[in-house]
Amino acid sequence: MKSVVVFRIDRRSGVATYLQIVRQVEQALRMGALEEGDRLPTAAQVAATTKVNPNTTLKAYRELERMGLAEVRQGAGTFITRTLAQPQSGPGSPLRAALADWLDRARAEGLTGQDVTALFHSAFESAYPGEAPG
């Protein structure tokens, strides 16, 4: 069992801190960085690295448990119970490799991160009308 998630909290985002934690775990699960059986950092560890109140982390972990993604084991920690990774989007997948190549080309052509984000959102809206990315 490993713990490979490091939370990054953006206090200016307008998104509740516990939801940022939940979304980062979901993202790690989708990308294969977290897998079934992995242990999440303790609330105290998260507090030490992010200055987030431990109760906020516990609220996020309860939400992950409610979603069926994690389970709290008394005295042992919080563990991932299932993955969200899709074979076609995990590390080494052709889609991921194609996206990495595209991002390399975008950078080489002078696009900034903001340019790429705007382009992505525009293309996403065309491909998935009415759905919000992320």
Side-chain angles (χ1 to χ4, degrees):
M1 287 179 282
K2 59 186 176 188
S3 177
V4 294
V5 66
V6 176
F7 297 113
R8 307 248 186 266
I9 304 304
D10 181 355
R11 294 178 191 334
R12 296 168 293 160
S13 74
V15 176
T17 302
Y18 88 96
L19 280 178
Q20 290 184 49
I21 293 170
V22 169
R23 290 178 182 169
Q24 289 175 45
V25 170
E26 288 177 313
Q27 181 71 7
L29 288 168
R30 281 189 185 90
M31 295 295 104
L34 282 174
E35 299 172 347
E36 188 175 332
D38 287 347
R39 183 179 175 274
L40 292 172
T42 66
Q45 289 169 326
V46 174
T49 60
T50 64
K51 308 300 184 234
V52 168
N53 186 309
N55 289 330
T56 301
T57 302
L58 294 174
K59 181 177 182 179
Y61 287 2
R62 283 192 302 273
E63 179 63 14
L64 290 165
E65 191 169 32
R66 187 195 65 72
M67 296 166 70
L69 298 175
E71 125 183 292
V72 177
R73 299 179 193 158
Q74 275 314 82
T78 303
F79 295 84
I80 297 299
T81 55
R82 69 182 175 96
T83 185
L84 295 175
Q86 299 293 321
Q88 64 272 28
S89 64
S93 75
L95 283 176
R96 188 178 180 125
L99 181 57
D101 289 344
W102 184 88
L103 288 168
D104 288 342
R105 284 191 3 240
R107 177 178 282 146
E109 291 184 25
L111 271 68
T112 66
Q114 288 179 331
D115 295 334
V116 168
T117 300
L119 185 56
F120 169 80
H121 283 287
S122 174
F124 185 92
E125 274 298 314
S126 295
Y128 296 94
E131 287 188 41

